[in-house]
């Protein structure tokens, strides 16, 4: 074997990586020196940018008109105030509740209708897992009920579609709105995420054996409509991360004028009395920044103000007690711009 062959064999069996600037971390890099000028300029820029954004966000949030009506207690008849469970579980008791609301400020369409639940832990691990996405997507997989127990099969061992505790506990309170002796139309279409409709719920999957067991959880589903068109179910099955959450119920697509008397007819069906939860009806307008959320604007204002405060503090410190700067030519990367010594 020749010396050339030995060198080739030795090179191919070596574990030493091929030399490149990337593998040896010798690519050009920027190493800023945090001089007082750089620090002061950066903090000033952050303050100048963040404070206007914060003011605009706060102003946008404050311009949102929002009304919150808690009705779980007010809708209890006086005969069941001390025993709400008997009221909510009764199949003969009238659950209709009527309340009136006067519009304080003009609300431009669309007016979004939300229901808000408190002390409701949709983020519980076993609850979140209690669904089967294959079954929701394909008719061929309707017998797939993995993770859905105890809401997986009927007593006759027929699969429940959709299965699982999330679907079983779907919210079923309803709201109607009357103004000037006319019913306000509530649009319940396009309330779910488009991606959920297109990619999670099949157009050929229909409810089957739903709420057919002894214990009824929440509402019923229309067995003549595919799951993709049942947007109240789709909204409900996008589980919330926190125990207090809002979900979109529908939209009123006419303006509500100030001083208008709105009669709200509520069907108080959903059982939150069992676990000490509360139910609220929320009507809200929206801006380009979304609904009312003062936190984002407040956070921008806080960071921007803090940056300007430190800008002033560092300027005063630099003027009153200046420190001589070292010579940057003595820094290691200036002595050896190539990085590592080869």
């Amino acid at each position: 074997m020749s010396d050339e062959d030995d060198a080739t064999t030795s090179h191919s069996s070596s574990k030493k990586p091929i030399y490149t600037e990337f593998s040896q971390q010798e690519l050009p890099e920027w190493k800023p020196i945090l001089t007082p000028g750089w620090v002061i300029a950066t903090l000033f820029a952050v303050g100048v940018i963040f404070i206007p954004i914060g003011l605009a966000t706060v102003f946008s949030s404050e311009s949102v008109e929002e009304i919150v009506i808690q009705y779980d207690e007010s809708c209890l008849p006086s005969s069941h105030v001390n025993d709400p469970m008997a009221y909510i579980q009764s199949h003969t008791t009238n659950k209709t509740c009527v309340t009136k609301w006067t519009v304080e400020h003009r609300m431009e369409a669309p007016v979004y209708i939300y229901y808000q639940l408190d002390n409701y832990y949709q983020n519980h691990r076993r609850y979140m897992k209690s669904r089967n996405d294959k079954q929701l997507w394909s008719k061929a997989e309707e017998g797939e009920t993995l993770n859905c127990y105890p809401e997986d099969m009927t007593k006759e061992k027929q699969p429940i579609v959709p299965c699982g505790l999330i679907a079983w506990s779907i919210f079923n309170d309803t709201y109607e709105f009357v103004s000037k002796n006319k019913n306000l139309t509530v649009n319940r279409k396009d309330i779910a995420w488009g991606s959920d409709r297109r990619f999670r719920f099949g157009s050929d999957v229909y409810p089957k054996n739903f709420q057919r067991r002894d214990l009824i959880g929440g509402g019923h589903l229309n067995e003549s409509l595919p799951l993709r068109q049942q947007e109240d179910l789709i909204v409900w099955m996008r589980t919330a991360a926190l125990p207090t959450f809002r979900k979109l119920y529908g939209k009123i697509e006419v303006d509500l004028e100030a001083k208008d008397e709105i009669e709200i007819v509520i069907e108080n069906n959903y059982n939150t009395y069992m676990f000490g939860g509360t139910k609220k009806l929320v009507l809200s307008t929206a801006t380009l920044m979304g609904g009312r959320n003062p936190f984002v604007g407040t956070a921008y204002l806080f960071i921007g103000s803090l940056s300007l405060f430190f800008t002033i503090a560092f300027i005063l410190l630099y003027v009153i007690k200046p420190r001589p700067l070292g010579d940057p030519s003595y820094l290691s990367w200036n002595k050896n711009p190539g990085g590592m010594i080869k």
Side-chain angles (χ1 to χ4, degrees), residues 123-131 147 149-150 165-166:
N123 59 353
H124 191 285
R125 180 173 175 271
R126 291 184 64 185
Y127 182 88
M128 292 184 66
K129 289 183 63 178
S130 188
R131 60 187 291 166
N147 297 328
Y149 180 83
L165 291 174
I166 304 178

Side-chain angles (χ1 to χ4, degrees), residues 70 72 116-121 243-246 272 275-280:
Q70 182 174 340
D72 54 287
Q116 176 175 319
L117 299 180
D118 300 313
N119 198 36
Y120 195 118
Y121 289 83
T244 295
F245 59 85
R246 294 178 180 179
T272 58
F275 54 87
T278 62
K279 296 187 290 187
K280 297 174 183 176

Side-chain angles (χ1 to χ4, degrees), residues 66-136:
E66 181 180 285
I67 178 70
V68 180
I69 302 171
Q70 182 174 340
Y71 64 88
D72 54 287
E73 293 183 356
S74 60
C75 283
L76 276 176
S78 57
S79 58
H80 289 86
V81 170
N82 296 323
D83 191 8
M85 289 298 296
Y87 159 78
I88 202 69
Q89 291 179 342
S90 172
H91 298 292
T92 58
T93 304
N94 183 14
K95 304 292 198 313
T96 302
C97 170
V98 179
T99 185
K100 292 187 177 181
W101 163 58
T102 302
V103 181
E104 294 184 9
H105 305 284
R106 186 172 186 267
M107 301 180 75
E108 295 184 359
V111 178
Y112 296 93
I113 306 167
Y114 301 89
Y115 55 88
Q116 176 175 319
L117 299 180
D118 300 313
N119 198 36
Y120 195 118
Y121 289 83
Q122 271 199 320
N123 59 353
H124 191 285
R125 180 173 175 271
R126 291 184 64 185
Y127 182 88
M128 292 184 66
K129 289 183 63 178
S130 188
R131 60 187 291 166
N132 192 288
D133 289 326
K134 290 183 179 179
Q135 186 200 63
L136 296 172

